[in-house]
Amino acid sequence: MSELGVLFDLILLGTLVWLAWRLLASADLFKAVVLFIAFGLLLALAWARLGAPDVALAEAAIGAGITGALLLVALRRLGPETERMRRHAPTIGQRLSARLLVGIAGAAVALLVARALLGLPAVAPGLAPRVAEDLAQSGVAHPVTAVLLNFRGFDTLLEVGVLVLAVLGIWCLNEAPQLAPAQPDSPVLLGLVRLLLPLLMVAGGYLLWLGAHAPGGAFQGGALLAAAAVLGLLAGFALPRRWSGLPLRLMLAAGLAVFLAVGAAPLLGGGWFLAYPPGAAKTLILLIETLLTGSIAAVLAVAVVGGRPGEAAASYPPLAEPPVGKETS
Amino acid sequence: MSVPLLYAAGGVVLFCLGLYAIFLRVHLLRKILAANVMGSGVFMVFIALAARVPGADADPVPHAMVLTGIVVAVCFTALAVALAVRIEELSGHSRLPRKGEEGA
């Protein structure tokens, strides 16, 4: 790498650490969330610098985009940080000793990990040659997708289980709050949504298709579709009641169900769990990825909404009643 | 020190910043932010170690693991936010109950 590149890396790392420090220390929580979104976008740049375009795409779409929207919605529901919370410990002695203890623990962790890292060789091929060796049998041409859905499919299966579990937890805890007024009064927002929604859907489908041979795939595509859904939600669109029951639940669980079924099918013939039959890997991976994209989009959108469909509400999430007595022309 | 190791060191710094804040900040949303920063630090160590391959392409296995991690992190964030909202609804505060306080 050139010297200019190293300089860029140093500036990027410095900015990342500074942003992390500011977002954890700043007095205003709204500012902290905005800084966190900026942190996520710069992190995506760092992944791209380190030769991980798949991770960069996912970080920008999920880590910065969806998490940012989620935190902004949460901030409205949780309220700001009060002065009393900032000075939580009663005495100066307690405050200082807490800082000292956590500081020592943090420094110890840093030292141990740094020592382990410095002991590693600066150049190591890792598992890359083995993945390249077996890539031809995996059914896809992109190594990261091959690892995700074939070589280490078990991880991904469990991860999709975590997605469904998270939705179960969220739905157990709260009912969906109202996210947007029934009729948003901003024509700019509506115009933007009309332009962006189709674009995001096409881009999501494209990323899904691209995953077979280039950076992209179900997670990135699903995140873009979820972004489209969140944008729609903020502009006042909502699922009508007849869609928020069984159809929504089927959509949430489809990815996990089909992944499990495809993984378990070889067991009937005496094969291994998640071992795709020879020759059919490509079709099966494409099937799983397509359904996963839909499920991931649904899960992420539900996560941003942050609650279950209400018993009485006419839509999911509920919309505000239009103001009474104000006739719209 | 090579560039990947530089990034790995940056990841350690991020992890420790998050660790410090998750203990010392009180507002629940700030703790969630801190946990996310810690996670980003771990991801950075992984991706940095994957970039040590000589030649063009990096090791795809850690990349796939971090992809999984990013999705799990957003799930964790969503669930933690739902829990925080519930705590706020029950106790009226966006923080954990103090010693001697009714735990709601």
Side-chain angles (χ1 to χ4, degrees):
Chain A
M1 242 177 252
S2 65
E3 279 173 18
L4 210 61
V6 175
L7 188 67
F8 180 81
D9 289 325
L10 277 176
I11 293 174
L12 182 60
L13 264 177
T15 316
L16 276 171
V17 169
W18 182 76
L19 272 178
W21 172 57
R22 284 317 304 158
L23 82 90
L24 294 172
S26 73
D28 182 8
L29 258 180
F30 176 73
K31 196 171 149 192
V33 173
V34 174
L35 285 175
F36 180 76
I37 297 173
F39 175 74
L41 289 174
L42 280 185
L43 212 50
L45 192 59
W47 303 153
R49 285 289 298 167
L50 285 166
D54 297 84
V55 186
L57 278 173
E59 182 73 49
I62 303 179
I66 301 288
T67 310
L70 187 82
L71 291 170
L72 285 177
V73 172
L75 183 62
R76 209 180 55 183
R77 295 175 82 182
L78 286 173
E81 198 169 28
T82 56
E83 186 60 26
R84 204 158 149 259
M85 279 184 197
R86 293 178 56 73
R87 314 217 169 285
H88 55 102
T91 65
I92 293 180
Q94 278 180 357
R95 233 178 293 161
L96 277 183
S97 57
R99 262 152 215 269
L100 198 68
L101 275 177
V102 178
I104 290 173
V109 170
L111 271 179
L112 281 175
V113 180
R115 225 186 118 210
L117 285 177
L118 285 176
L120 291 172
V123 173
L127 289 166
R130 293 199 56 189
V131 172
E133 207 174 287
D134 290 336
L135 193 60
Q137 304 173 24
S138 72
V140 287
H142 184 51
V144 175
T145 310
V147 174
L148 267 179
L149 284 147
N150 201 335
F151 303 148
R152 292 189 66 92
F154 196 59
D155 290 1
T156 313
L157 176 67
L158 289 178
E159 168 196 3
V160 181
V162 169
L163 284 168
V164 176
L165 271 181
V167 169
L168 275 179
I170 293 166
W171 279 17
C172 287
L173 286 165
N174 304 303
E175 208 166 87
Q178 180 191 310
L179 279 185
Q183 287 170 329
D185 40 6
S186 158
V188 178
L189 178 63
L190 282 179
L192 190 70
V193 166
R194 276 200 196 107
L195 271 178
L196 279 180
L197 277 194
L199 204 63
L200 279 169
M201 284 176 194
V202 172
Y206 175 68
L207 271 182
L208 163 68
W209 182 252
L210 206 62
H213 55 84
F219 297 108
Q220 294 88 346
L224 281 194
L225 290 185
V230 169
L231 205 62
L233 290 175
L234 294 180
F237 293 93
L239 271 187
R241 198 176 166 76
R242 64 175 186 285
W243 290 105
S244 67
L246 191 63
L248 178 61
R249 287 167 171 81
L250 279 180
M251 179 98 175
L252 289 168
L256 179 63
V258 169
F259 206 159
L260 260 180
V262 169
L267 293 177
L268 295 175
W272 294 94
F273 185 59
L274 276 175
Y276 304 118
K282 180 168 185 170
T283 323
L284 288 174
I285 287 179
L286 198 63
L287 172 77
I288 293 172
E289 278 218 292
T290 310
L291 285 160
L292 267 188
T293 308
S295 285
I296 289 165
V299 167
L300 293 179
V302 162
V304 172
V305 171
R308 65 180 172 274
E311 302 285 326
S315 64
Y316 177 68
L319 292 173
E321 296 292 320
V324 185
K326 231 187 194 175
E327 292 290 319
T328 45
S329 51
Chain B
M1 199 177 194
S2 67
V3 170
L5 281 183
L6 202 68
Y7 273 98
V12 176
V13 173
L14 288 180
F15 181 87
C16 290
L17 273 176
L19 186 76
Y20 190 76
I22 206 170
F23 281 115
L24 290 179
R25 300 310 300 262
V26 175
H27 195 287
L28 288 169
L29 197 62
R30 191 81 71 166
K31 285 186 192 287
I32 296 172
L33 281 174
N36 268 299
V37 170
M38 283 170 80
S40 301
V42 175
F43 297 156
M44 193 171 268
V45 173
F46 261 68
I47 298 287
L49 294 185
R52 292 176 305 155
V53 181
D57 285 335
D59 188 351
V61 177
H63 288 187
M65 287 174 158
V66 171
L67 264 180
T68 306
I70 288 175
V71 178
V72 172
V74 71
C75 285
F76 144 77
T77 309
L79 187 60
V81 159
L83 280 167
V85 166
R86 191 80 186 131
I87 289 174
E88 203 273 339
E89 271 176 12
L90 289 177
S91 71
H93 307 291
S94 302
R95 56 169 170 78
L96 294 174
R98 281 171 203 180
K99 198 175 161 191
E101 214 173 56
E102 195 54 42

